[in-house]
């Protein structure tokens, strides 16, 4: 049975979620994976685990020679707190794959920036929810990662290494050594919360960072709150105000926070064509 690490580098799990975590462990067992858990999974009384403590647990998984994949099951706000405490030399030499989404956007992009290694943007807990059986089949068949439908709203093709993820969390890396170089990259953007004003301010920041002058394309995932409030078409139209007509823009409903989401490599090249 393959060995996998389960970590929480962002907000810890509430204790009432223990049943959910146990169900995930059972699901992974069905897939032939034996889970090894971080000591920082559940919230504790008083102060939460420090970034240094959470990073140490992640590095413990990297140092375990039997672990093949590391699944982060958290999300929230504090994942960037681990970045200064990770040993990127060890991570770079490892053949393990880190998986996480949302606030873990900070870590998957930092790993690529500091080591050149790719990670997977995906929440593994999706395997136990509504579309879990389908995604389990996708995982077994190899169709879970980079196998998603899309359409173009500007241009007809794009090619490059994918960076980005959750737009709010990705921008935490601005001005740090962990922010990827935008040159000739495909910038993936998605979001759980936020409506048009929030998206506009994030796009302003990306524009002021020079991102839209350098990327080879933009891939829009799901924007959950906007879509719930019938603003689905707002993001493609909004982003056109910030980028030139020469930059191709595609959109997909299968990358993001939806329970039916698929996975995508951050740090690997992809080619999309209408």
């Amino acid at each position: 049975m393959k060995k996998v690490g389960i970590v929480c580098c962002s907000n810890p799990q509430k204790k009432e979620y223990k049943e959910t975590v146990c169900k995930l462990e059972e699901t992974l067992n069905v897939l032939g994976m034996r889970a090894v858990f971080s000591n920082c999974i559940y919230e504790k009384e008083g102060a939460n685990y420090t970034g240094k403590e959470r990073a140490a647990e992640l590095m413990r998984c990297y140092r375990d020679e039997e672990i093949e994949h590391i699944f982060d099951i958290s999300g929230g706000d504090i994942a960037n707190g681990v970045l200064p405490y990770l040993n990127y030399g060890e991570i770079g030499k490892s053949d393990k794959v880190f998986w996480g989404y949302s606030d873990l956007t900070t870590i998957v992009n930092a790993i690529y920036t500091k080591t050149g290694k790719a990670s997977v943007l995906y929440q593994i807990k999706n395997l136990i929810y509504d579309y879990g059986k389908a995604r389990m089949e996708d995982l077994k068949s190899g169709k879970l990662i980079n196998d998603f439908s899309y359409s173009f709203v500007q241009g007809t093709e794009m090619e490059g290494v994918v960076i980005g993820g959750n737009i709010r969390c990705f921008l935490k890396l601005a001005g740090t050594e962990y922010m990827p170089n935008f040159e000739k990259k495909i910038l993936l953007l998605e979001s759980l919360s936020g409506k048009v004003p929030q998206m506009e301010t994030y796009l302003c920041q990306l524009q002021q960072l020079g991102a839209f002058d350098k990327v080879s394309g933009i891939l829009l995932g799901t924007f959950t709150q906007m879509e719930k409030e019938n603003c689905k078409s707002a993001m493609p139209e909004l982003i056109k105000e910030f980028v030139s007509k020469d930059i191709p823009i595609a959109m997909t409903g299968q990358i993001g926070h939806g329970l039916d989401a698929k996975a995508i490599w951050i740090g690997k090249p992809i080619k999309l064509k209408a």
Side-chain angles (χ1 to χ4, degrees):
M1 187 173 282
K2 295 179 181 179
K3 195 174 176 182
V4 296
I6 305 293
V7 299
C8 282
C9 291
S10 188
N11 298 28
Q13 302 288 289
K14 294 183 182 297
K15 291 181 180 178
E16 54 262 37
Y17 295 167
K18 191 168 184 178
E19 184 178 342
T20 299
V21 177
C22 289
K23 187 175 180 181
L24 173 63
E25 183 178 14
E26 293 169 1
T27 300
L28 293 174
N29 283 339
V30 170
L31 291 167
M33 302 179 192
R34 179 167 66 88
V36 177
F37 287 87
S38 158
N39 291 313
C40 299
I41 295 292
Y42 297 103
E43 61 184 3
K44 61 178 182 177
E45 294 181 8
N48 277 330
Y49 298 103
T50 66
K52 189 173 184 178
E53 289 172 320
R54 301 193 309 277
E57 288 300 295
L58 176 55
M59 291 310 304
R60 184 167 66 86
C61 290
Y62 273 105
R63 290 167 185 148
D64 187 328
E65 294 181 358
E66 296 182 6
I67 288 178
E68 297 184 20
H69 294 269
I70 303 171
F71 299 128
D72 195 302
I73 60 172
S74 65
D77 302 289
I78 58 176
N80 59 334
V82 312
L83 299 181
Y85 304 107
L86 298 179
N87 187 321
Y88 295 99
E90 289 187 46
I91 293 172
K93 293 176 183 177
S94 171
D95 58 359
K96 304 180 197 316
V97 178
F98 180 85
W99 298 54
Y101 88 144
S102 195
D103 196 35
L104 287 308
T105 292
T106 55
I107 294 180
V108 299
N109 283 276
I111 287 174
Y112 169 66
T113 301
K114 301 293 283 186
T115 72
K117 292 181 68 65
S119 301
V120 179
L121 192 76
Y122 188 69
Q123 171 55 274
I124 200 67
K125 284 195 297 185
N126 284 353
L127 297 183
I128 69 173
Y129 298 132
D130 297 351
Y131 298 85
K133 288 184 179 179
R135 294 301 169 254
M136 286 172 68
E137 291 301 316
D138 289 337
L139 182 61
K140 288 187 285 187
S141 66
K143 293 183 178 181
L144 180 63
I145 310 175
N146 279 20
D147 189 347
F148 54 89
S149 60
Y150 59 88
S151 60
F152 276 81
V153 296
Q154 182 166 288
T156 57
E157 62 181 297
M158 65 176 77
E159 184 173 7
V161 172
V162 179
I163 61 171
N166 180 274
I167 187 171
R168 175 183 69 87
C169 301
F170 181 66
L171 282 168
K172 296 179 187 182
L173 302 179
T176 74
E177 62 189 276
Y178 310 109
M179 176 63 96
N181 187 314
F182 291 100
E183 197 69 42
K184 297 182 180 179
K185 303 296 194 304
I186 290 178
L187 179 59
L188 166 67
L189 301 173
E190 57 86 22
S191 182
L192 172 63
S193 61
K195 295 187 286 187
V196 172
Q198 288 75 34
M199 295 308 121
E200 183 170 350
T201 193
Y202 298 147
L203 293 174
C204 282
Q205 188 176 2
L206 285 165
Q207 183 185 54
Q208 291 160 19
L209 288 169
F212 300 138
D213 296 325
K214 299 174 182 177
V215 297
S216 61
I218 296 167
L219 176 62
L220 300 176
T222 56
F223 291 80
T224 307
Q225 184 177 358
M226 292 176 69
E227 291 168 14
K228 283 183 177 178
E229 301 191 18
N230 298 316
C231 301
K232 185 173 183 178
S233 63
M235 196 62 186
E237 294 306 312
L238 181 62
I239 200 166
K240 287 180 182 179
E241 298 178 14
F242 291 87
V243 304
S244 74
K245 293 182 178 179
D246 298 327
I247 299 296
I249 304 169
M251 58 188 299
T252 175
Q254 293 185 306
I255 302 294
H257 281 69
L259 298 181
D260 61 339
K262 288 194 168 186
I264 188 169
W265 284 106
I266 300 296
K268 281 191 178 183
I270 195 172
K271 184 173 183 178
L272 306 180
K273 192 171 183 178

